[in-house]
Amino acid sequence: MKMKHLKHLLIAAAITALCACNNTKESPVSLQWEMVKNEATPGFYESSFTITNTSDKPLESDWEIYYTQLAPLTVKTEKDSPVAIKMVNAGYYQITPSESWKALAPGDSIKINYLNQSALIQTLFAPKSPFFVTADNKQISIPFNIAPFDRQEQWTASSKITPPYPDGEKVYADNQALETTYKIQTYDMLPSLKEVTPREGTSIISKDISLSVEDGFADEAKLLIQNLKEMGYNVTDKGQTVIALCHFPKNMKAKNDEHYRLDVKDNYITISGRTPHAIFNGTQTLVSLLKKQTIPAKLENIAINDYPDLLYRGMMLDIARNFTKKADLLKLINQLAAYKINALHLHFSDDEAWRLEIPGLEELTAIGSRRGFTEDESQCLYPVYYGGWNPNDTTATANGYYTREDFIEILKYAAKRHISVIPEIESPGHARAAIKAMEARFNRLKEEDMEKAREYLLSEATDTSRYASAQAYTDNIMNVAMPSVYRFMDKVSDEIIKMYKDAGAPLATIHIGGDEVPRGSWTGSPICHQFMEEKNMKDTHELSEYFLENITEMLSKKGVKTSGWQEVALHHSPETNARIAPRFAGVYCWSTIGKQDVVPYTVANEGYDVILCNVNNLYIDLAYNPHKDEPGLTWGGYVNEFTSFNILPYNVYCSARENKAGEKNNLKTAGKGKIQLTEQSRPRIKGVQAQLFSETIGSFDMVQYYVFPKIFGLVERGWNAYPEWSPVPNDDKQALYEKARAIYNAKIAEIELPRLAADGFNFRVAQPGIKIVEGKLYANSPIPQAEIRYTTDGSEPTATSTLWEAPVDCSASVVKAKLFYLGKESLTTDYKND
């Protein structure tokens, strides 16, 4: 055992002992939850819990039940309800017997109806992970059942703005719009190649391949050899096919560092470029071509000249709210690299957890990476969505972190694939996990050394500020007037820099978050009041600017640029912008709906480099569509592989072709009267990034489901930022757009989904459309190769249900259908024959 980890392990062992709640005792109750109806009263929906006593003894009043649930902030029970239900913490709820509770006899049940704030339109948002706490404080998981969602009032609400529900006829029309006579070509792929020049003749790529590698490209050659072997090729000195990795000729000018050429001529393949990254891009194109074929592959002789329009093409993965294990992350990195994505933004800290080991600050992971039953959060954090009572359950996405060695391995793995890993230290908001961890550190050390205990404290015990964050937290903001906050940021950034150095990986930037500091923060802090008086500050915005100035300057002195969400660049004076903008590598702008859609171009025009993160195009944690069983958030609308395809980096106002209600936007007037990107600011649009926040993610399968095929729009648009269908005033080019969209869908269906299936990746399959016309059942699919299976008796379709192949007589009142493709199945499409 390495001694440098001994202290961390001792702390973790002590906490594990304190939190050891393991028991094999069966729960004395079972629980059923039912969604009753939306809009039971204004602003609330009604639901119910049914508690059944499954033990052989009466259920008295010495118990508690806890559960997690997204969304409802306020819960109301009836005046004489036998139980009380309250929110303990954001997303974490408690049920306790009230004074009206009467002992529940063995075998008896009691149904409790109650009200939840807002509306519920997706089955995903039902409660999760209930557990029972006995009188002697033992925790037991409860057998839990969710009653079927089979009534429309359970998932529809007039108070919610949503597009039309994806029923049979709606989906049928959507699928019709994707029909195309286009035939997939050998050199079709995502991202689409810039220039493809055919030559005479054909090359046969034999099973035995030789490699010729010029200096500087050894790592790219190793990865190519690995890819070739995985596909079944042999790499030998006497191969019948030769692949050469070489430098551009001296007289050839590269468009940028990722520009490559791929030449196929008479069984000889040349991949050339100016940099290793360019060569890597070329090898990924070749691998994509070969994966579409069996051995020996057949390629038309051709010259490919290819490069990206945007040099930042990224994905953000939130591992804080729910964790992705190292092996799964490496698998994802490999797949992202195959699609030439070159940045992975790791959101490793937030209110719900801290996921990266920081030597010297052991509590960050010993406490901050674990969630479970706790009365004071001294050993672990409260549960939130996807997570029960056991903080030691390493199979749950609630728990886990990367050790220093893990992170170095991740950095090395990504760097070899030319992916920059961008670490995010959420600050000063979204910092609850760090705050609670540093409070635990303070409590551990205060008796022996008060000065050391306060060294990295992030909160003030006497702060009476009242606020609620966007996720309903009331204690998640660092106190930026405390010197210990800056020591903490200094310490954490130093340790991160050391990890990158030890990995030999470039550290492009440290992302500091900077978003969603709610109104009311710091207003009740004596330390802040004194500090503001000393500094002659007028309001708390100046406090946030002070934090920003100091952190960006600190990182700049370390030779590291800063990044942050859009709030870091908003509402500053021109003088402040001029001072801090050069310290930023990128401002990640997401607000592209409503009146805030001017934010990206405003920020760019004020001198900051911008990464476009459009919520209505690239927040891939949003649901694909309003289907009741579709997982994902909906606050920003819905995002699928077509809304991501629609993003136009240099025409942001036309990037949304529909509004949140599903109505067509007028692209001719979309940008009228709004801030335009100046010619001087165009180079400041550095790239695009997809965001996968993980509140609703309970497994790596779900990560993959959200990412694929939704991210393919970013893959395409990051590489090809100027599609020929891009609308301009008085010319919306609708026909060109519809044709390009249909071809893009065909590439996903015929090339990319089979590739993902072969690589063992999960992905979403879209729904079939169904309708009845003149007594005949019609069906269609966005994937012509998929099977459509249907039922007419109200049951859910399975892989053995009736196969639809042509219009068939049908008089059923209800028809249900699913799509089956490559071992995956779609959600159910419903059709009512009124």
Side-chain angles (χ1 to χ4, degrees):
M1 181 186 295
K2 295 180 180 179
M3 292 303 294
K4 64 180 179 178
H5 293 310
L6 183 57
K7 190 174 182 182
H8 184 202
L9 292 173
L10 287 172
I11 292 172
I15 290 170
T16 298
L18 286 166
C19 279
C21 306
N22 271 340
N23 58 72
T24 57
K25 189 176 179 181
E26 290 186 3
S27 171
V29 302
S30 64
L31 196 63
Q32 175 170 288
W33 183 84
E34 181 179 5
M35 173 60 190
V36 179
K37 63 179 179 179
N38 279 303
E39 297 169 341
T41 63
F44 287 83
Y45 66 90
E46 182 181 2
S47 57
S48 70
F49 280 115
T50 299
I51 302 173
T52 301
N53 184 350
T54 56
S55 74
D56 57 3
K57 298 178 182 179
L59 185 65
E60 304 290 350
S61 57
D62 52 351
W63 55 268
E64 298 170 338
I65 290 174
Y66 293 86
Y67 65 94
T68 62
Q69 188 176 11
L70 282 177
L73 304 181
T74 302
V75 178
K76 294 180 179 180
T77 53
E78 295 174 358
K79 184 178 180 181
D80 297 322
S81 173
V83 303
I85 305 176
K86 72 173 185 178
M87 186 171 74
V88 178
N89 198 47
Y92 181 44
Y93 300 84
Q94 178 195 58
I95 305 173
T96 54
S98 70
E99 292 181 358
S100 302
W101 176 265
K102 295 179 181 179
L104 191 64
D108 281 359
S109 298
I110 184 170
K111 186 174 183 178
I112 296 111
N113 284 61
Y114 66 105
L115 297 175
N116 305 265
Q117 189 177 359
S118 190
L120 190 146
I121 58 174
Q122 295 159 283
T123 58
L124 176 80
F125 288 85
K128 287 204 182 312
S129 312
F131 60 91
F132 189 90
V133 179
T134 64
D136 57 351
N137 229 27
K138 300 296 183 187
Q139 298 89 53
I140 311 164
S141 296
I142 298 175
F144 184 48
N145 179 56
I146 296 174
F149 278 62
D150 51 16
R151 306 184 309 276
Q152 194 166 344
E153 64 266 26
Q154 293 176 296
W155 68 86
T156 58
S158 60
S159 59
K160 285 278 186 179
I161 299 174
T162 59
Y165 192 82
D167 59 14
E169 290 195 354
K170 169 70 168 64
V171 178
Y172 194 96
D174 290 344
N175 290 345
Q176 269 190 318
L178 296 172
E179 292 175 0
T180 178
T181 58
Y182 181 81
K183 300 298 181 185
I184 293 296
Q185 305 297 307
T186 302
Y187 289 91
D188 281 334
M189 65 180 64
L190 293 175
S192 302
L193 303 172
K194 274 281 193 307
E195 299 174 16
V196 179
T197 306
R199 290 171 167 162
E200 288 187 5
T202 300
S203 289
I204 305 300
I205 312 305
S206 63
K207 185 179 180 71
D208 297 320
I209 293 176
S210 293
L211 242 63
S212 171
V213 184
E214 290 189 0
D215 289 346
F217 304 143
D219 286 342
E220 289 64 41
K222 287 178 184 176
L223 287 174
L224 177 58
I225 291 169
Q226 180 181 321
N227 289 145
L228 291 170
K229 288 182 176 178
E230 288 170 355
M231 288 186 285
Y233 292 93
N234 297 324
V235 180
T236 73
D237 292 335
K238 299 179 180 179
Q240 295 163 295
T241 300
V242 177
I243 300 173
L245 308 184
C246 54
H247 292 274
F248 268 167
K250 289 183 178 180
N251 61 349
M252 183 170 178
K253 187 176 181 181
K255 292 282 187 180
N256 52 50
D257 284 349
E258 294 191 59
H259 184 177
Y260 72 93
R261 280 185 59 93
L262 193 157
D263 292 276
V264 179
K265 187 175 182 181
D266 301 334
N267 303 346
Y268 197 100
I269 300 171
T270 303
I271 298 173
S272 58
R274 191 176 68 183
T275 66
H277 197 168
I279 296 298
F280 179 78
N281 289 337
T283 64
Q284 295 312 295
T285 294
L286 177 61
V287 168
S288 181
L289 292 170
L290 297 179
K291 279 193 172 184
K292 291 160 63 177
Q293 302 197 34
T294 55
I295 299 173
K298 183 178 179 181
L299 298 177
E300 296 93 345
N301 288 340
I302 207 153
I304 295 170
N305 186 43
D306 198 23
Y307 54 87
D309 290 327
L310 297 173
L311 291 180
Y312 184 109
R313 305 174 304 283
M315 175 182 154
M316 188 222 75
L317 178 63
D318 173 10
I319 57 172
R321 292 181 173 95
N322 282 292
F323 186 57
T324 296
K325 295 182 187 303
K326 180 183 70 175
D328 292 330
L329 182 64
L330 297 181
K331 183 178 178 181
L332 179 63
I333 287 171
N334 197 54
Q335 199 64 252
L336 295 177
Y339 290 109
K340 305 184 179 84
I341 286 176
N342 63 2
L344 176 64
H345 172 180
L346 272 186
H347 188 88
F348 70 79
S349 67
D350 210 300
D351 298 320
E352 295 83 357
W354 182 287
R355 305 294 191 183
L356 178 62
E357 177 190 13
I358 301 296
L361 298 179
E362 287 78 11
E363 282 85 357
L364 284 174
T365 46
I367 292 167
S369 74
R370 297 153 23 99
R371 301 198 293 256
F373 179 71
T374 173
E375 294 179 337
D376 59 7
E377 296 188 287
S378 60
Q379 285 88 45
C380 61
L381 302 179
Y382 287 133
V384 291
Y385 207 55
Y386 285 110
W389 57 268
N390 187 359
N392 303 313
D393 181 4
T394 57
T395 65
T397 54
N399 307 318
Y401 69 94
Y402 300 139
T403 66
R404 188 178 191 276
E405 286 74 17
D406 286 338
F407 193 57
I408 288 171
E409 181 183 346
I410 290 165
L411 293 176
K412 288 179 177 178
Y413 190 88
K416 284 183 178 178
R417 288 155 180 80
H418 297 277
I419 289 182
S420 297
V421 177
I422 297 168
E424 181 178 359
I425 313 168
E426 268 282 22
S427 61
H430 282 281
R432 189 175 189 276
I435 288 168
K436 293 299 175 184
M438 292 302 95
E439 285 177 2
R441 180 183 182 276
F442 171 82
N443 290 328
R444 176 173 64 87
L445 296 172
K446 65 183 179 182
E447 299 299 330
E448 59 183 78
D449 188 338
M450 183 58 79
E451 185 177 349
K452 187 175 182 182
R454 291 173 174 159
E455 186 178 9
Y456 299 113
L457 200 58
L458 303 176
S459 56
E460 176 189 11
T462 56
D463 188 349
T464 60
S465 301
R466 294 178 63 84
Y467 59 84
S469 75
Q471 290 75 31
Y473 290 103
T474 59
D475 53 358
N476 73 334
I477 310 298
M478 296 177 179
N479 189 321
V480 296
M482 296 171 64
S484 50
V485 166
Y486 301 92
R487 286 193 292 269
F488 175 85
M489 296 295 288
D490 187 42
K491 166 70 172 173
V492 172
S493 59
D494 270 351
E495 294 298 336
I496 289 173
I497 290 167
K498 289 176 187 175
M499 291 182 216
Y500 278 79
K501 184 177 180 181
D502 289 353
L507 176 57
T509 180
I510 291 178
H511 197 294
I512 62 167
D515 59 317
E516 295 188 329
V517 175
R519 187 182 300 275
S521 301
W522 307 314
T523 55
S525 162
I527 292 176
C528 286
H529 281 296
Q530 182 180 347
F531 185 81
M532 291 172 68
E533 189 175 330
E534 291 172 357
K535 299 288 185 181
N536 197 29
M537 293 180 178
K538 300 184 295 295
D539 53 35
T540 54
H541 178 70
E542 292 188 64
L543 261 183
S544 64
E545 285 189 328
Y546 175 85
F547 175 81
L548 196 60
E549 291 255 18
N550 277 270
I551 297 302
T552 57
E553 184 179 17
M554 177 192 74
L555 291 177
S556 182
K557 288 179 178 177
K558 298 174 191 280
V560 176
K561 285 207 165 190
T562 305
S563 290
W565 298 110
Q566 64 188 35
E567 288 91 332
V568 299
L570 296 177
H571 312 305
H572 304 314
S573 67
E575 294 77 18
T576 299
N577 285 331
R579 200 161 51 248
I580 67 174
R583 301 173 189 167
F584 275 87
V587 175
Y588 291 62
C589 296
W590 55 267
S591 188
T592 48
I593 52 179
K595 294 180 180 179
Q596 291 295 304
D597 62 358
V598 299
V599 165
Y601 290 170
T602 299
V603 170
N605 289 346
E606 289 180 348
Y608 296 87
D609 288 342
V610 166
I611 308 298
L612 292 170
C613 303
N614 305 22
V615 62
N616 46 355
N617 298 105
L618 299 176
Y619 266 53
I620 60 176
D621 57 293
L622 297 181
Y624 279 90
N625 67 31
H627 192 290
K628 66 181 175 63
D629 296 323
E630 191 68 69
L633 300 176
T634 62
W635 65 271
Y638 298 86
V639 168
N640 57 35
E641 60 269 37
F642 303 110
T643 46
S644 60
F645 175 79
N646 292 344
I647 187 172
L648 296 167
Y650 300 101
N651 194 349
V652 72
Y653 304 118
C654 289
S655 292
R657 302 181 82 89
E658 293 181 349
N659 63 20
K660 289 177 70 173
E663 300 162 337
K664 300 290 184 185
N665 286 332
N666 186 338
L667 302 185
K668 295 178 181 178
T669 61
K672 189 175 181 180
K674 295 183 177 179
I675 292 170
Q676 300 298 314
L677 185 68
T678 66
E679 204 58 39
Q680 181 185 5
S681 300
R682 283 180 71 85
R684 297 193 186 115
I685 303 298
K686 296 299 182 182
V688 288
Q689 178 172 282
Q691 281 58 244
L692 183 56
F693 289 103
S694 65
E695 291 100 320
T696 61
I697 293 175
S699 68
F700 185 56
D701 264 359
M702 289 186 73
V703 169
Q704 297 166 75
Y705 180 94
Y706 279 105
V707 174
F708 300 108
K710 203 178 293 192
I711 204 167
F712 287 136
L714 176 139
V715 167
E716 177 67 6
R717 199 60 58 238
W719 198 268
N720 298 296
Y722 308 96
E724 62 177 348
W725 50 263
S726 178
V728 296
N730 305 315
D731 180 10
D732 62 13
K733 300 182 181 178
Q734 185 65 21
L736 281 174
Y737 167 74
E738 289 174 358
K739 179 182 177 181
R741 185 173 177 267
I743 292 172
Y744 163 74
N745 178 69
K747 289 181 181 180
I748 291 174
E750 295 184 47
I751 302 171
E752 305 308 343
L753 296 188
R755 174 177 177 169
L756 290 169
D759 289 346
F761 257 72
N762 190 30
F763 51 86
R764 176 185 182 268
V765 172
Q767 296 168 238
I770 49 176
K771 66 178 182 177
I772 294 176
V773 180
E774 297 180 350
K776 287 191 178 292
L777 175 65
Y778 290 78
N780 65 4
S781 163
I783 305 173
Q785 302 80 6
E787 291 183 347
I788 301 172
R789 301 275 179 174
Y790 71 97
T791 63
T792 56
D793 61 0
S795 63
E796 288 295 304
T798 69
T800 59
S801 296
T802 304
L803 176 66
W804 186 93
E805 296 179 280
V808 59
D809 291 337
C810 183
S811 59
S813 59
V814 175
V815 181
K816 295 188 174 188
K818 279 187 178 181
L819 211 60
F820 293 85
Y821 187 52
L822 300 171
K824 313 296 180 187
E825 64 183 67
S826 73
L827 296 179
T828 302
T829 300
D830 295 289
Y831 181 87
K832 290 187 178 180
N833 189 15
D834 298 326

